[in-house]
Amino acid sequence: MLVALTIGSGPAPDLGELQALAESAGARVVQVVTGRRDRPDPALFVGSGKAEDIVSACAEHQAELVIFDHTLSPGQQRNLSKLLKRRVIDRVALILDIFALRARSHEGKLQVELAQLDYLSARLVRGWTHLERQKGGIGLRGPGETQLETDRRLIGQRVKQLKLRLSAVEKQRKNRMRHRHRQGAFAVSLVGYTNAGKSTLFNALTHAGVYAADQLFATLDTTSRRVFLAPGEFMVLSDTVGFIRELPHSLIEAFKSTLHEAADADLLLHVIDASDPDRELHKRAVDQVLAEVGAADVPRIEVMNKIDLAGVSCRSESDPEGRIRRVWLSAQTGLGLDALREAVRSHVPAFPSPDPWPGALSDNLGALQPSVQSLL
């Protein structure tokens, strides 16, 4: 059972996206309840009348889980679960669950667990009132702290461990980035709304064979590959996690080390689903996340993907300085990939000539070159 309300003068909920999120988590949607409110109800988020409608719909369709397309407070979630007599989760919990399903790398699993603990710790404050006091009596007296305090302390310890591990992973990532910069590699990151086709484009350019599917958040783990542009010219292309509107702040915080791939890049390829009627709304959501991770000023090219579905032709658009700012292509069919390579090359000031000799040996040979020429 899905619940999505229009609040005040805000935009109408994207029911298609909500259903896709639920299905990505493994749920089978039996009913969608919609409505409009000027502001959320402090106790139930929805009004009492709408809550009764949800109770009736759950009984009629035998729904076992109710998913709200909103962020619920711990009190609202508890009150709704008690009223509906069913498990209730909000948008944040749903996205966290999908991330937990998709994470494959060690770093990805650490990041998801950190975000989940951050979400859970907020629910410990008011959601678990039955743990506020331990029972008294012989054999039941507590060790000096309530069960709630014990759980909060254990969560705090685990969060500290996760942050230390992620800090070590981030140091490794920064070392790799410094190594690339020393080699003169041109770093390019794919960014965009989830399911815009980033991984399909990454595979088309690199032949890496990373997992790509028509589902939300198919990619969580960053993958980097060297991509040929022209003779002697290469870029290091990175595929990153997709964004979504109202992305939970805890996820942004947990995935900051991964998202820094975008902030540290020389160029961003912002992949946009050209066939999506909500693409402008999705574009603003991506811009907001990029600003939060310090990547707002990184040069970018808009890649209008899925032109085969949109029914438009392949083309490029340039700015007054002659740099290509937008490319229309299809990663699925390969149409327009050469135009994208040219677009990337237009943003590269000058490729360093490849150095066949490492370090000081190359410098010494350069100093001996005039003497060698004089002997010829």
Side-chain angles (χ1 to χ4, degrees):
M1 174 77 64
L2 305 180
V3 179
L5 304 183
T6 301
I7 303 299
S9 59
D14 187 341
L15 299 180
E17 179 180 276
L18 176 60
Q19 183 163 344
L21 282 171
E23 292 172 350
S24 296
R28 183 174 64 87
V29 178
V30 295
Q31 179 72 7
V32 180
V33 176
T34 61
R36 176 182 293 274
R37 279 188 66 86
D38 292 335
R39 62 183 63 86
D41 180 77
L44 297 171
F45 191 88
V46 298
S48 57
K50 183 63 68 175
E52 292 300 326
D53 292 342
I54 298 174
V55 170
S56 301
C58 286
E60 179 183 353
H61 298 279
Q62 298 181 342
E64 300 174 354
L65 173 68
V66 179
I67 302 174
F68 276 70
D69 189 32
H70 312 276
T71 301
L72 300 176
S73 70
Q76 289 170 339
Q77 189 171 3
R78 184 182 68 251
N79 293 337
L80 285 166
S81 297
K82 185 182 299 184
L83 175 66
L84 302 178
K85 295 181 175 56
R86 287 166 176 81
R87 194 159 63 92
V88 176
I89 65 172
D90 61 5
R91 182 183 178 87
V92 176
L94 177 61
I95 294 176
L96 286 173
D97 188 73
I98 297 172
F99 270 57
L101 285 173
R102 300 281 189 268
R104 293 291 180 269
S105 69
H106 175 65
E107 181 184 8
K109 292 177 181 179
L110 291 177
Q111 290 168 325
V112 172
E113 184 181 355
L114 180 60
Q116 287 178 321
L117 289 177
D118 179 77
Y119 178 83
L120 177 60
S121 63
R123 265 63 190 162
L124 284 176
V125 177
R126 295 186 181 88
W128 297 7
T129 53
H130 63 289
L131 299 179
E132 282 290 359
R133 292 290 180 269
Q134 290 184 336
K135 294 180 181 179
I138 298 174
L140 297 175
R141 294 185 179 91
E145 63 180 351
T146 65
Q147 182 63 48
L148 180 58
E149 290 169 340
T150 302
D151 292 336
R152 191 179 294 133
R153 175 172 52 79
L154 293 175
I155 287 178
Q157 291 174 354
R158 181 58 179 166
V159 167
K160 185 177 180 180
Q161 293 175 356
L162 291 173
K163 287 183 176 180
L164 287 174
R165 293 183 183 181
L166 284 173
S167 178
V169 173
E170 187 171 4
K171 287 180 181 178
Q172 295 174 358
R173 185 188 302 279
K174 288 182 178 178
N175 288 336
R176 289 196 299 267
M177 289 297 297
R178 280 195 293 267
H179 179 66
R180 290 176 193 168
H181 285 306
R182 283 197 299 268
Q183 290 185 326
F186 190 72
V188 180
S189 285
L190 291 171
V191 298
Y193 207 78
T194 181
N195 206 29
K198 297 183 299 303
S199 295
T200 302
L201 179 60
F202 183 83
N203 286 334
L205 291 171
T206 66
H207 308 289
V210 301
Y211 180 69
D214 185 17
Q215 57 185 207
L216 303 185
F217 300 117
T219 301
L220 286 188
D221 304 315
T222 301
T223 306
S224 298
R225 292 290 187 274
R226 202 179 188 202
V227 178
F228 171 83
L229 291 175
E233 300 179 356
F234 297 87
M235 67 174 171
V236 176
L237 183 65
S238 298
D239 187 18
T240 60
V241 62
F243 303 152
I244 197 168
R245 66 179 179 85
E246 299 179 24
L247 188 66
H249 187 72
S250 58
L251 274 177
I252 298 176
E253 285 296 318
F255 277 77
K256 265 192 173 178
S257 61
T258 300
L259 295 174
H260 279 164
E261 287 278 352
D264 295 333
D266 298 305
L267 177 68
L268 299 179
L269 298 183
H270 183 175
V271 184
I272 301 170
D273 184 351
S275 65
D276 193 335
D278 295 324
R279 61 177 181 266
E280 288 300 322
L281 181 64
H282 295 170
K283 179 182 172 182
R284 289 196 295 271
V286 172
D287 290 341
Q288 181 180 354
V289 177
L290 290 175
E292 287 195 46
V293 298
D297 297 328
V298 178
R300 71 186 69 178
I301 297 173
E302 290 186 354
V303 181
M304 307 301 293
N305 190 25
K306 304 185 183 181
I307 61 172
D308 51 322
L309 300 179
V312 296
S313 59
C314 172
R315 64 182 187 273
S316 301
E317 300 173 11
S318 302
D319 61 14
E321 298 175 356
R323 290 185 174 182
I324 300 175
R325 296 294 184 185
R326 180 177 292 175
V327 179
W328 298 73
L329 56 76
S330 170
Q332 187 68 41
T333 65
L335 183 64
L337 293 182
D338 289 337
L340 179 60
R341 291 188 181 93
E342 286 302 314
V344 173
R345 294 186 70 224
S346 74
H347 283 260
V348 182
F351 273 90
S353 58
D355 188 358
W357 303 99
L361 180 58
S362 176
D363 297 336
N364 293 335
L365 287 175
L368 291 173
Q369 189 176 8
S371 301
V372 175
Q373 290 179 342
S374 65
L375 296 175
L376 297 177

